[in-house]
Amino acid sequence: MLKWIESLLGDPIKKDLERFQKLVNEINSQEIALQDLSVDEFQAAVEKERGTSYEVEENRLRLLALAKNACRRLMGTKFMVIRHEQEWNMIPFDVQLIGALALLEGKISEMKTGEGKTLVAGIAASVAAFEGKGVHVVTVNDYLAERDKAWMTPLFEKLGHSVGVVVHGKNSAERRDSYGSHITYGTNNEFGFDYLRDNMAQRTENLVQRNLHFAIVDEVDSILIDEARTPLIISAPAEESTQKYMEYARLVESLEKEKDYTIDEKQKTAILTEEGIAHMEKLLGIENIYTEKGFTEVHHIEQSLRAMCCFQKDVDYVVKDGEIFIVDEFTGRMMPGRRYSGGLHQALEAKETVEVKRESKTLASITFQNYFRLYHHLAGMTGTAETEAEEFGKIYGLPVLPIPPNKPVVRNDLPDVVFKNEKGKFMAIREHIREKHATGQPVLIGTISIERSEILSALLTQAGIPHNVLNAKHHEQEAEIVANAGQKGAITIATNMAGRGTDIKLGEGVQELGGLAIIGSERHESRRIDNQLRGRAGRQGDPGETQFFVSLEDSLMRLFGSERLLNMMNAMNVPDDLPIQNGIISSGIESAQKKVEGIHFDRRKHVLQYDDVMNRHREIIYARRRKVLEHDDLRGEVLEMIETEASNIIQNATAHREIHQWDYSGIYSALSGIHNSPALSLESVKAMESEDELSAMAMEYLTNAYQEKESRFPSEEIARTAERMVYLQTIDMLFMEHLEAMTQLREQVALRAYGQRDPLMEFKGDAFLLFEKLLASIRRGTLVTLFHIEVEMRLPENPIEIQGLQTNENEIEENLGFTGPFAQKPASTKGLSGNITTVKVIDDGGTVKNTAPTGRNDLCPCGSGKKYKKCCGA
């Protein structure tokens, strides 16, 4: 069918490439004309384009011609890249211009390793930067972000663009400066976490990001596919005890597989059987685990089972310095700061007898899928995207354009060799490496786990074969070692994507030896990861060869039906080290990979369907929060809240009821709960004879009370600041609770599938009710707090001057404090910047001076000599 449609419409990829080539011809023609310009004339041409939109095609062509000419003018210029001096020697090829055009049209440019994707991203970013709305170039780690930024800075400066980089360890001021640049490099984690932190900020001065306009995502498959199942979460420790995890870790060791629990290896889950539940009840000394402990505790027991049975040390995680570090299944790298949720990480800590840290309470979260869909314009690059083209199209609306290499690929991809077991496979790999090493041909061995890389390393060490091992190393060391993996005699063992983003160039004399030899020690669950490994060899027309060594005991083969074949080989007494090359086995491997890819796609789609519901809530709350943050005067909105709350109170007590059934006591209690005053009594409420009278009475009572409250503030500015800060903190506290409620709801609706109900539809319906409740709670919580707060003015015994700060009555909000219900910050937000502290008034004739933010362990600015947390910050 597809071929028939293509015969009618033509190959869409071929048509795109033909169209782009015509545009490139026009770019090249314009660039030739630019070569005659003097330095001053070129700069004038550049400045003339400031503010030009790249979204208009003729503008794109003109700006790309300028960018190409800037590259030409830079030839021979020396500049520094990560402590190394380099010389600019890049003028974009036609295929690189096609790649840049694809990015500017919102596509994914699929370009092979060594085709110069860094320059492609730089050219596209420099064109988009003329509009002045900000361009984000997203990379997979800090080292690549800093390196790529350094590589492209000469081009950006030549075109008059500023450039910044956002990496771990930068403070808010540095981040704000970087985001204020025309072009900003950084990692997906940094961009995402800054977005979340901005939506927790208490003051506009704490915001760092601009509007999300244009993002170019390098290694787009790694970021938008592999990382999509893991949401970004800002959290704080909860108060729950961790002792139960140690107890459950000890108890589950006595359970028997199949009898007490079952394991699903594909899903990596463990579930208690009826016998297992009875066994646990006996061990815990209780009659009914569900009534006495609850569903949550059964969940934690099963998490302990998962930790024991489904997660392997040095494969899924490593233990280092008394901590559990998750290992990225795609890269083999440790992921500091990442923790499994739902109690699984605590279960692993208990299993390995390291310190069990408290579970976390979510303060803010977002998936990469929903974060990157916030950008007005999204594009990406990778060497391997075609196998995931359907997902890119459905989830992100990103078409994939495979771009032909500048020089034909001459790499020799050999068929897989299959062995009966792992022992035979590893022996064969060692001998294959020994043969290659004897000739001096460099070898890169790809593994899928730290454990496998260490096994291979031990085998090579025993054989006296020198080599480098890359697993969970620092990115800079990793990239440098991988960059040298093409030198004569080099042998490098690396997790399949280690050093990704780093070009492997062949050393002198290596071409004559056949180029870089790639050995895959195991097939990955994803064909794309295997293709990435293959793509390490054969850059820019270089020779090279690739081959995968597979055993029937490999996890992919074992999970997808190799048992019958293994039994047959055992029956035939096939030797361990006898390689088999069989078309049926090879097609079986690819079929297994497609099945796993389908499972992973379904999981990511499943996560997104649920997160889309939460995302709508997030968008509404963050938009409201930003409005509150950026407006100095919210009095009108507070009065609207009063009107809405008064109307709702009356509606709830009178709707669909006869007058003799009206809940006058409920009206009185609700109004008194917001503000209690002798001006209101149950009798005065009962005296009202119509809904209109009741509404008018409630509105007048609350409005007058609020006006009286306003009059007790020291100034109107302080009253307005109080409104803003109370509103923000109420939103933050209740939205945090809403996130927790939504997480629990998702776990609850999963059980409704047993009642033949669609969990997703159930989730959407219940989530809508929860969100309505949240909005009502924010409104009421804000009003209750505003009616009850009191400004506390403290005069220190020994007034002190804070050097370097201006005297300004409009700069007091950092130090404004309130007392009364809802005024205390929740324990889970302890330590967040911008939380309410205490007003400090320096008695110097009535002027209020702003004091610098004080740390809880700093000496108190009041001069008492005590720590701030023990004095004014208590």
Side-chain angles (χ1 to χ4, degrees):
M1 176 63 77
L2 288 174
K3 289 183 178 178
W4 179 76
I5 293 172
E6 282 184 9
S7 68
L8 290 178
L9 303 177
D11 182 352
I13 292 174
K14 183 179 178 183
K15 291 176 102 175
D16 260 348
L17 290 173
E18 288 174 350
R19 177 173 64 86
F20 280 135
Q21 186 58 58
K22 289 178 182 177
L23 297 179
V24 167
N25 293 340
E26 176 59 28
I27 292 167
N28 289 336
S29 176
Q30 292 188 33
E31 194 271 332
I32 289 171
L34 292 172
Q35 293 177 25
D36 294 331
L37 297 183
S38 67
V39 172
D40 290 342
E41 287 171 336
F42 176 79
Q43 291 305 318
V46 166
E47 289 309 310
K48 184 181 176 183
E49 299 295 349
R50 201 66 59 202
T52 298
S53 172
Y54 62 91
E55 297 189 55
V56 178
E57 185 177 277
E58 62 182 273
N59 293 348
R60 280 202 293 275
L61 304 185
R62 195 168 62 250
L63 295 173
L64 281 165
L66 274 174
K68 180 174 180 179
N69 191 248
C71 291
R72 189 180 301 281
R73 291 169 184 266
L74 284 167
M75 289 296 284
T77 303
K78 288 184 168 49
F79 59 101
M80 294 297 294
V81 177
I82 315 294
R83 299 186 300 278
H84 300 294
E85 187 177 73
Q86 290 194 194
E87 186 175 285
W88 187 277
N89 62 350
M90 298 178 284
I91 300 174
F93 303 122
D94 283 3
V95 290
Q96 290 175 309
L97 291 174
I98 290 174
L101 278 167
L103 294 179
L104 292 166
E105 285 193 8
K107 291 179 168 61
I108 291 175
S109 293
E110 184 183 78
M111 303 181 73
K112 303 300 180 189
T113 300
E115 292 298 304
K117 290 191 287 291
T118 302
L119 179 60
V120 172
I123 291 171
S126 68
V127 166
F130 277 100
E131 195 167 8
K133 294 181 180 178
V135 180
H136 293 170
V137 183
V138 188
T139 66
V140 293
N141 61 57
D142 285 350
Y143 170 74
L144 291 178
E146 292 188 296
R147 187 203 69 180
D148 291 359
K149 178 254 183 183
W151 269 0
M152 291 298 108
T153 291
L155 172 62
F156 299 147
E157 290 179 346
K158 192 73 173 176
L159 294 171
H161 301 321
S162 55
V163 58
V165 62
V166 176
V167 292
H168 185 69
K170 290 218 169 193
N171 61 38
S172 293
E174 291 168 330
R175 288 172 184 271
R176 195 177 304 109
D177 287 344
S178 291
Y179 283 118
S181 302
H182 292 104
I183 299 160
T184 309
Y185 280 78
T187 66
N188 47 316
N189 287 338
E190 296 300 326
F191 286 126
F193 278 126
D194 281 339
Y195 169 78
L196 291 177
R197 281 190 286 262
D198 274 2
N199 284 289
M200 297 171 68
Q202 299 294 310
R203 301 188 300 172
T204 53
E205 302 94 283
N206 295 333
L207 300 175
V208 296
Q209 282 188 345
R210 293 196 277 172
N211 290 335
L212 303 179
H213 179 61
F214 186 15
I216 298 172
V217 183
D218 193 11
E219 308 298 358
V220 66
D221 48 347
S222 174
I223 292 171
L224 297 190
I225 301 292
D226 298 339
E227 302 252 7
R229 284 179 289 165
T230 308
L232 293 171
I233 297 174
I234 293 179
S235 60
E239 299 301 315
E240 196 174 15
S241 170
T242 59
Q243 183 57 39
K244 64 184 178 186
Y245 296 105
M246 300 300 293
E247 180 184 8
Y248 293 153
R250 178 176 54 82
L251 293 179
V252 296
E253 290 177 353
S254 65
L255 299 180
E256 293 182 37
K257 186 178 178 181
E258 301 304 333
K259 178 183 176 185
D260 292 322
Y261 62 89
T262 58
I263 296 173
D264 185 334
E265 285 192 66
K266 295 176 187 176
Q267 302 291 334
K268 296 191 85 162
T269 58
I271 300 171
L272 287 169
T273 62
E274 291 293 329
E275 286 184 78
I277 291 170
H279 192 161
M280 285 303 298
E281 287 169 344
K282 184 178 179 181
L283 292 172
L284 292 167
I286 57 178
E287 289 187 14
N288 189 313
I289 196 169
Y290 287 97
T291 56
E292 295 183 47
K293 287 283 189 177
F295 173 79
T296 303
E297 292 309 299
V298 177
H299 166 75
H300 283 306
I301 292 169
E302 290 183 341
Q303 292 289 55
S304 294
L305 269 175
R306 286 183 73 198
M308 179 179 74
C309 306
C310 305
F311 286 77
Q312 296 180 51
K313 183 179 176 181
D314 291 336
V315 176
D316 301 294
Y317 64 91
V318 294
V319 181
K320 182 181 178 184
D321 301 328
E323 286 190 63
I324 300 289
F325 290 94
I326 299 173
V327 173
D328 189 318
E329 64 177 300
F330 296 101
T331 67
R333 297 184 183 119
M334 290 192 301
M335 298 193 288
R338 292 273 186 97
R339 290 177 66 83
Y340 290 116
S341 59
L344 176 58
H345 209 95
Q346 286 77 11
L348 288 170
E349 289 168 333
K351 170 188 173 182
E352 299 296 342
T353 63
V354 300
E355 181 192 356
V356 180
K357 297 179 181 177
R358 293 187 186 276
E359 278 198 71
S360 297
K361 195 164 187 176
T362 300
L363 305 180
S365 73
I366 193 169
T367 59
F368 284 123
Q369 292 156 315
N370 274 320
Y371 172 70
F372 282 105
R373 293 196 302 182
L374 292 170
Y375 282 88
H376 168 69
H377 189 118
L378 180 63
M381 300 185 305
T382 182
T384 48
E386 209 169 0
T387 56
E388 316 292 347
E390 180 187 2
E391 184 166 353
F392 282 123
K394 286 183 176 178
I395 304 297
Y396 301 101
L398 289 171
V400 175
L401 181 67
I403 296 171
N406 186 50
K407 295 179 181 178
V409 175
V410 296
R411 184 184 67 230
N412 185 19
D413 294 330
L414 299 171
D416 296 359
V417 285
V418 183
F419 295 84
K420 187 172 73 173
N421 54 38
E422 277 199 327
K423 178 185 175 184
K425 179 184 72 173
F426 283 130
M427 294 299 111
I429 289 174
R430 183 180 65 183
E431 292 311 306
H432 191 66
I433 292 170
R434 194 199 303 273
E435 290 171 10
K436 296 290 182 185
H437 186 57
T439 69
Q441 185 176 6
V443 183
L444 176 66
I445 307 101
T447 68
I448 69 167
S449 71
I450 294 171
E451 181 188 46
R452 296 296 187 274
S453 66
E454 290 178 347
I455 290 172
L456 275 170
S457 176
L459 286 172
L460 295 183
T461 300
Q462 287 173 7
I465 302 172
H467 60 281
N468 286 312
V469 181
L470 289 176
N471 53 33
K473 298 286 186 182
H474 295 297
H475 296 307
E476 183 173 347
Q477 293 173 321
E478 180 180 274
E480 287 179 356
I481 293 174
V482 170
N484 293 322
Q487 301 301 309
K488 194 170 183 178
I491 297 175
T492 310
I493 300 173
T495 49
N496 276 348
M497 276 184 14
R500 194 168 176 200
T502 305
D503 201 5
I504 300 178
K505 295 180 180 178
L506 300 184
E508 189 175 345
V510 171
Q511 282 203 2
E512 292 74 18
L513 297 172
L516 178 65
I518 300 287
I519 296 174
S521 66
E522 189 170 340
R523 281 286 191 171
H524 197 275
E525 289 180 345
S526 168
R527 290 170 295 162
R528 179 169 46 81
I529 306 299
D530 289 343
N531 291 340
Q532 287 163 8
L533 180 60
R534 285 195 192 278
R536 290 298 195 169
R539 60 174 291 282
Q540 284 290 327
D542 286 343
E545 70 173 47
T546 69
Q547 189 165 39
F548 280 86
F549 286 65
V550 180
S551 91
L552 296 182
E553 292 180 344
D554 292 349
S555 58
L556 179 70
M557 299 298 292
R558 184 167 43 82
L559 290 175
F560 289 92
S562 65
E563 186 177 350
R564 188 162 52 91
L565 190 60
L566 182 60
N567 291 337
M568 182 181 72
M569 292 174 74
N570 284 331
M572 295 171 63
N573 291 318
V574 174
D576 290 351
D577 59 352
L578 178 66
I580 301 168
Q581 290 179 315
N582 185 290
I584 296 174
I585 297 175
S586 297
S587 62
I589 292 172
E590 187 165 342
S591 175
Q593 288 177 312
K594 286 179 180 178
K595 285 179 184 177
V596 178
E597 287 166 3
I599 291 169
H600 287 171
F601 180 23
D602 288 342
R603 285 182 188 169
R604 290 189 292 267
K605 188 177 177 182
H606 189 65
V607 168
L608 185 61
Q609 286 173 327
Y610 282 89
D611 193 59
D612 277 344
V613 179
M614 189 64 237
N615 196 51
R616 182 61 185 146
H617 298 185
R618 187 187 297 113
E619 287 174 352
I620 293 170
I621 291 298
Y622 284 177
R624 177 174 294 194
R625 200 183 184 285
R626 184 60 66 97
K627 180 182 175 183
V628 172
L629 193 66
E630 294 177 348
H631 284 72
D632 294 330
D633 190 346
L634 295 168
R635 187 175 189 275
E637 186 147 345
V638 172
L639 293 177
E640 280 184 24
M641 286 186 197
I642 288 172
E643 183 178 358
T644 302
E645 190 65 20
S647 175
N648 285 352
I649 288 170
I650 305 306
Q651 281 286 315
N652 291 338
T654 63
H656 310 297
R657 303 185 193 185
E658 298 296 330
I659 190 167
H660 65 274
Q661 295 176 315
W662 286 0
D663 185 5
Y664 289 109
S665 295
I667 294 171
Y668 172 71
S669 296
L671 291 173
S672 299
I674 296 174
H675 177 69
N676 194 5
S677 164
L680 181 74
S681 66
L682 182 58
E683 290 71 26
S684 65
V685 173
K686 288 182 176 179
M688 302 294 107
E689 297 181 351
S690 70
E691 286 186 44
D692 289 343
E693 283 186 12
L694 279 168
S695 294
M697 177 276 299
M699 178 68 180
E700 183 179 3
Y701 169 70
L702 292 178
T703 302
N704 290 342
Y706 190 68
Q707 288 172 346
E708 192 276 329
K709 182 74 178 180
E710 285 181 296
S711 69
R712 300 209 304 272
F713 280 98
S715 69
E716 185 176 345
E717 288 80 8
I718 291 179
R720 302 289 78 83
T721 299
E723 288 168 348
R724 185 169 69 255
M725 296 185 73
V726 167
Y727 201 170
L728 283 175
Q729 290 209 340
T730 305
I731 289 173
D732 290 346
M733 181 173 68
L734 294 176
F735 189 55
M736 177 184 66
E737 293 175 1
H738 180 71
L739 291 174
E740 187 72 20
M742 290 286 283
T743 301
Q744 292 173 2
L745 173 63
R746 183 169 173 184
E747 293 173 359
Q748 292 164 8
V749 298
L751 298 174
R752 299 183 195 176
Y754 294 108
Q756 303 301 309
R757 289 185 286 178
D758 182 349
L760 181 60
M761 296 307 296
E762 294 284 309
F763 180 76
K764 287 179 178 179
D766 287 6
F768 176 76
L769 298 176
L770 278 177
F771 191 62
E772 282 196 326
K773 181 181 176 183
L774 170 66
L775 296 179
S777 298
I778 288 172
R779 181 178 62 246
R780 185 172 178 83
T782 301
L783 290 178
V784 169
T785 306
L786 284 172
F787 272 101
H788 286 81
I789 59 171
E790 297 293 340
V791 178
E792 184 179 332
M793 311 294 282
R794 295 189 184 181
L795 298 178
E797 294 177 8
N798 302 308
I800 58 173
E801 288 292 332
I802 308 297
Q803 298 296 321
L805 290 175
Q806 308 237 339
T807 302
N808 186 335
E809 292 185 350
N810 295 322
E811 295 183 350
I812 64 168
E813 69 182 77
E814 177 82 11
N815 304 299
L816 184 62
F818 307 118
T819 60
F822 294 95
Q824 296 300 315
K825 63 192 177 189
S828 55
T829 60
K830 183 177 180 181
L832 292 178
S833 63
N835 281 319
I836 296 173
T837 56
T838 307
V839 167
K840 293 179 178 56
V841 181
I842 308 299
D843 189 7
D844 63 347
T847 302
V848 180
K849 289 190 176 180
N850 182 28
T851 65
T854 306
R856 287 178 55 75
N857 290 310
D858 294 343
L859 287 176
C860 190
C862 76
S864 65
K866 298 179 181 178
K867 286 188 176 181
Y868 176 64
K869 66 183 179 183
K870 298 289 187 182
C871 188
C872 297

